[in-house]
Amino acid sequence: MSHTAADERWMRRALALARRAEGRTRPNPLVGAVLVDPRGELLGEGYHRAAGEPHAEIEALRDAERLGNPVAGATLYVTLEPCNHHGRTGPCTEALLEAGIGRAVIAVRDTHTEAAGGVERLRNAGVAVEVGLLGEEAVELNAGFFASHVLGRPLVTLKWAMTVDGCTSLASGESKWITGVEARQEVHHQRARHDAVLAGIGTVLRDGARLSARGVPVPPAPPRFRVVLDSSLRLAPDAPFLARAEDGSSPLVFCSEAAEEDSARELRAAGATVVRVSADPAGGLSGREVLRQLASRGVQSVYIEGGRTVAGYFLSSGLADRVEAWLAPVLAGGGASHLGSLQVPLPPGTMAEAWRLSRVSLRQVGEDWVATGWLHGRLFGDVEGLPLSEGQIAPKLS
């Protein structure tokens, strides 16, 4: 199916509108919508501002009405399939049909089975419907939302910073700061964009890490979490991690079923939520159970900041989706934490088996560079089909 340059321009406008509500819509996705008349003139536009508020399509219809623009025969550009169910709001499909739109260009199908079906409803009513324009961009915009429905767990991003010779610290173990001020500020923005920030107890103790978003605007989203994996509860009640965070995130500590209850009681008194999870066959905490517990708290995206053991575990277990690797123009001379010793229990045996990233982007932030890429294509199936092709769907957490 071919689309015009004008189609792409209007869909990019819809994607830009959707981003305005970043951090405010969970558990709903970010959605933008634009209404254009047959001559290519803008009639109205809108975006979903927060969970429980009108959907993007309704906002666009109301904008057109406010401007006195009739929308009969108009084309709707929308970043996600219009809903076809009664939730907190009525079905958008009925409002669109009542308004008399003639064409709908949709970036991607909705993987939420209760809300899906909008494409069929519109087509059955005679509306010309096209699906897939900038679909991958629309999936990335709501990667956590799609992961929760397609993968059955939160989206997991692994982040680390390294020198150009591949070191994550000096030989002494010092790692503050590999990257510059601008890069660190961008990491705080990333923390604010995710529902949970996670690290292992070694990183939290060594760096005095708080894992909070500091010095950046934090959207008034539903609860956000700072997470530490602390099998034997080594975290002290007066640790910086447990201090009140300016971003409003809550400390969440995962420990083994055998951890001392006295220690758990002290951490709870200090304000932490302590959750016991079973052990992984390799001996650490079960990452699958950790993700399941986070999902039960409404978490759709997890930003993992270390250390090497945690990153290696999630990578080898197939529980990582994206990589965010920061590269600093620094030589450390083969420091103690060379990336070659990422503690991966099941490393590839050959280059052909190595993990290769797709949809890679590279950009400069200050004096540093950041490379991001996907470890799999499970969320990027046939955007016209529902569900995504079975070969692209990972087993759900049971």
Side-chain angles (χ1 to χ4, degrees):
M1 183 182 301
S2 62
H3 292 99
T4 67
D7 287 335
E8 183 171 333
R9 184 175 70 251
W10 289 120
M11 185 61 79
R12 290 199 182 280
R13 173 61 180 169
L15 288 166
L17 287 167
R19 292 189 185 95
R20 292 184 179 181
E22 193 169 50
R24 294 177 171 84
T25 63
R26 183 162 59 87
N28 295 348
L30 297 166
V31 184
V34 177
L35 288 164
V36 178
D37 73 11
R39 298 171 300 171
E41 298 294 327
L42 176 66
L43 298 174
E45 61 184 15
Y47 61 97
H48 183 45
R49 297 173 182 271
E53 294 193 15
H55 289 184
E57 302 91 322
I58 304 303
E59 290 281 7
L61 289 171
R62 290 178 178 176
D63 187 43
E65 182 180 13
R66 179 181 61 82
L67 295 171
N69 295 329
V71 299
T75 294
L76 167 74
Y77 296 90
V78 64
T79 59
L80 186 70
E81 177 181 18
C83 70
N84 192 46
H85 81 305
H86 287 273
R88 296 195 221 182
T89 60
C92 292
T93 51
E94 295 307 315
L96 294 168
L97 292 175
E98 184 178 341
I101 67 164
R103 177 180 177 231
V105 181
I106 300 168
V108 66
R109 295 290 297 257
D110 194 339
T111 51
H112 191 297
T113 54
E114 291 183 7
V119 166
E120 289 75 19
R121 179 70 183 93
L122 294 175
R123 282 178 175 160
N124 291 340
V127 176
V129 179
E130 302 162 23
V131 182
L133 177 62
L134 302 184
E136 292 189 359
E137 287 89 336
V139 170
E140 290 203 58
L141 176 69
N142 288 300
F145 171 82
F146 284 105
S148 66
H149 294 111
V150 176
L151 306 180
R153 59 166 174 79
L155 183 84
V156 174
T157 297
L158 302 180
K159 172 262 177 182
W160 62 75
M162 60 184 175
T163 62
V164 290
D165 55 346
C167 301
T168 57
S169 75
L170 299 176
S172 64
E174 180 184 347
S175 60
K176 290 186 176 182
W177 297 98
I178 291 176
T179 53
V181 174
E182 294 92 340
R184 297 199 297 274
Q185 190 74 356
E186 175 61 21
V187 168
H188 282 285
H189 279 285
Q190 289 294 341
R191 289 178 178 179
R193 292 177 185 128
H194 286 76
D195 300 334
V197 183
L198 182 150
I201 184 61
T203 296
V204 170
L205 293 180
R206 181 181 64 251
D207 298 340
R210 288 180 284 172
L211 305 183
S212 58
R214 301 185 295 279
V216 300
V218 178
R224 298 174 54 257
F225 300 95
R226 290 170 284 127
V227 182
V228 61
L229 305 184
D230 185 8
S231 181
S232 58
L233 293 182
R234 296 160 56 196
L235 189 68
D238 60 352
F241 178 82
L242 297 176
R244 183 182 179 88
E246 66 180 70
D247 65 358
S249 58
S250 302
L252 185 57
V253 181
F254 285 98
C255 67
S256 73
E257 294 171 338
E260 291 290 339
E261 180 55 32
D262 287 346
S263 298
R265 190 178 300 111
E266 290 178 354
L267 292 177
R268 292 189 186 103
T273 298
V274 180
V275 180
R276 296 180 184 274
V277 295
S278 60
D280 182 83
L285 299 180
S286 169
R288 284 177 169 78
E289 190 167 343
V290 167
L291 293 179
R292 189 181 302 115
Q293 288 285 345
L294 291 173
S296 72
R297 289 165 169 79
V299 170
Q300 293 183 346
S301 60
V302 182
Y303 191 61
I304 296 182
E305 293 202 46
R308 292 177 297 135
T309 302
V310 172
Y313 168 78
F314 277 87
L315 186 61
S316 291
S317 300
L319 296 174
D321 305 300
R322 296 175 67 251
V323 163
E324 179 183 302
W326 288 86
L327 184 66
V330 176
L331 292 170
S337 297
H338 192 280
L339 269 183
S341 60
L342 253 183
Q343 296 182 15
V344 177
L346 300 172
T350 67
M351 285 302 295
E353 298 171 338
W355 294 291
R356 293 188 180 274
L357 303 180
S358 63
R359 298 174 181 82
V360 176
S361 67
L362 180 67
R363 63 189 176 95
Q364 188 170 8
V365 181
E367 63 180 8
D368 305 299
W369 291 84
V370 58
T372 59
W374 288 81
L375 286 157
H376 60 74
R378 298 170 192 153
L379 303 183
F380 301 92
D382 178 6
V383 295
E384 169 69 40
L386 183 71
L388 302 181
S389 56
E390 290 297 326
Q392 298 291 332
I393 298 178
K396 294 180 181 291
L397 299 179
S398 58

